[in-house]
Amino acid sequence: MDELPKPYVISNVGMSLDGKLATVENDSRISGENDLKRVHQIRKDVDGIMVGIGTILKDDPRLTVHKIDAKMEDNPIRIVVDSNLRIPLNARVLNKDAKTIIATTLKDTPDKIAKINKLKEMGNVDVVRTGTEKVNLKELMEILYKKGIKKILLEGGGTLNWGMFKENLVDEVSVYVAPKIFGGMGAPTYVDGEGFKTVDECVKLELKKYYPLDDGIVLEFKVKNTR
Ligand SMILES: NC(=O)c1ccc[n+]([C@@H]2O[C@H](COP(=O)([O-])OP(=O)(O)OC[C@H]3O[C@@H](n4cnc5c(N)ncnc54)[C@H](OP(=O)(O)O)[C@@H]3O)[C@@H](O)[C@H]2O)c1
């Protein structure tokens, strides 16, 4: 059966040379000013910015365009992948600066239904549902495409990145590598999750561009075996 169209997905992170997204104590100050501007320029060019609930709970990001010259209309739709609706109602990603889609599972509890209603009452928040234990990312992509979201910036963290790479849903990779070593088995890496068992199964990339920025380097790749 033909697969339904999905948005074009760009995965972007800032990481230390040893592939960490933050230190063991969740200090994620990796990028310099120019790299932040680069990321905000990509944000301005996409229809949606997607993160996992882990990133919301740890960093409480706004996920808007604000490091460069931009207007409120330039803010893409924010998408949070959150199977059990753990998102706090005062999370900054729910502010009125942009629309937000919370992607959750079909599993219902009375608390969850009540929270969905509260989220919808906010006016700028939509809740979409797919999957049972975890959000079904393939179906989510198709739902988002149907809503007019044709290009997504995936901003992590490592667990959601794994989910997206595992399902072959990423088309392009753009990373800033800082000349820093964080170390630490517990520190989040660019792609966490279970990992591929063999090199044959892994995601293969083709280097397209690289350039120095701030005191690090930006690397851009096309994903070879994307859907
Ligand atoms: N340096 C950077 O560029 C950068 C960018 C982003 C984040 N970070 C860092 O990354 C860390 C957070 O990463 P994280 O791995 O803890 O969290 P995450 O990847 O942001 O979120 C992961 C969560 O998403 C939910 N999820 C739902 N369906 C999923 C699916 N099909 N596949 C994968 N995940 C699914 C799961 O929670 P439920 O089961 O509850 O749904 C899962 O635990 C923080 O330290 C943050 O600072 C750094």
Side-chain angles (χ1 to χ4, degrees), residues 154-187:
L154 169 64
E155 289 206 42
T159 309
L160 182 63
N161 288 343
W162 162 251
M164 291 291 287
F165 275 115
K166 185 184 64 172
E167 300 288 355
N168 278 332
L169 296 171
V170 180
D171 300 275
E172 197 177 309
V173 165
S174 180
V175 294
Y176 170 75
V177 182
K180 298 181 172 89
I181 305 277
F182 288 174
M185 284 229 305

Side-chain angles (χ1 to χ4, degrees), residues 12-15 20-23 26-28 30-31 51-56 58-59 81-86 103 105 133-137 155-164 166-167 188-189 192:
N12 183 86
V13 290
M15 63 186 183
K20 308 289 186 189
L21 300 185
T23 67
N26 204 43
D27 188 346
S28 57
I30 294 172
S31 293
V51 298
I53 184 63
T55 298
I56 298 297
K58 284 186 184 139
D59 299 348
V81 181
D82 181 9
S83 313
N84 301 301
L85 280 194
R86 292 189 282 149
T105 57
E133 290 309 314
K134 294 274 169 203
V135 172
N136 182 321
L137 297 172
E155 289 206 42
T159 309
L160 182 63
N161 288 343
W162 162 251
M164 291 291 287
K166 185 184 64 172
E167 300 288 355
T189 68
D192 286 320

Side-chain angles (χ1 to χ4, degrees), residues 71-223:
K71 304 183 204 72
M72 281 274 265
E73 309 87 81
D74 294 322
N75 286 330
I77 297 180
R78 301 168 292 189
I79 304 148
V80 180
V81 181
D82 181 9
S83 313
N84 301 301
L85 280 194
R86 292 189 282 149
I87 189 161
L89 291 171
N90 62 354
R92 298 205 297 176
V93 75
L94 299 175
N95 71 17
K96 303 279 187 228
D97 291 351
K99 287 186 180 163
T100 302
I101 294 177
I102 310 294
T104 192
T105 57
L106 294 161
K107 218 168 165 183
D108 267 338
T109 62
D111 282 356
K112 198 169 172 186
I113 295 167
K115 198 156 178 188
I116 289 174
N117 290 334
K118 278 190 189 150
L119 286 164
K120 286 186 173 168
E121 277 165 19
M122 290 179 161
N124 61 325
V125 182
D126 190 9
V127 178
V128 302
R129 309 185 67 180
T130 170
T132 43
E133 290 309 314
K134 294 274 169 203
V135 172
N136 182 321
L137 297 172
K138 263 190 180 167
E139 282 180 11
L140 174 62
M141 289 299 111
E142 292 161 5
I143 292 168
L144 295 175
Y145 190 90
K146 280 191 205 143
K147 286 182 176 287
I149 299 173
K150 303 279 157 68
K151 202 170 187 186
I152 288 179
L153 176 62
L154 169 64
E155 289 206 42
T159 309
L160 182 63
N161 288 343
W162 162 251
M164 291 291 287
F165 275 115
K166 185 184 64 172
E167 300 288 355
N168 278 332
L169 296 171
V170 180
D171 300 275
E172 197 177 309
V173 165
S174 180
V175 294
Y176 170 75
V177 182
K180 298 181 172 89
I181 305 277
F182 288 174
M185 284 229 305
T189 68
Y190 175 29
V191 184
D192 286 320
E194 302 126 51
F196 295 106
K197 291 192 176 64
T198 66
V199 175
D200 292 338
E201 292 167 83
C202 81
V203 173
K204 294 163 186 89
L205 310 172
E206 185 185 340
L207 182 63
K208 287 286 180 190
K209 193 172 162 187
Y210 58 94
Y211 55 94
L213 190 68
D214 295 326
D215 55 356
I217 185 166
V218 175
L219 301 166
E220 293 178 5
F221 303 85
K222 286 291 275 181
V223 177

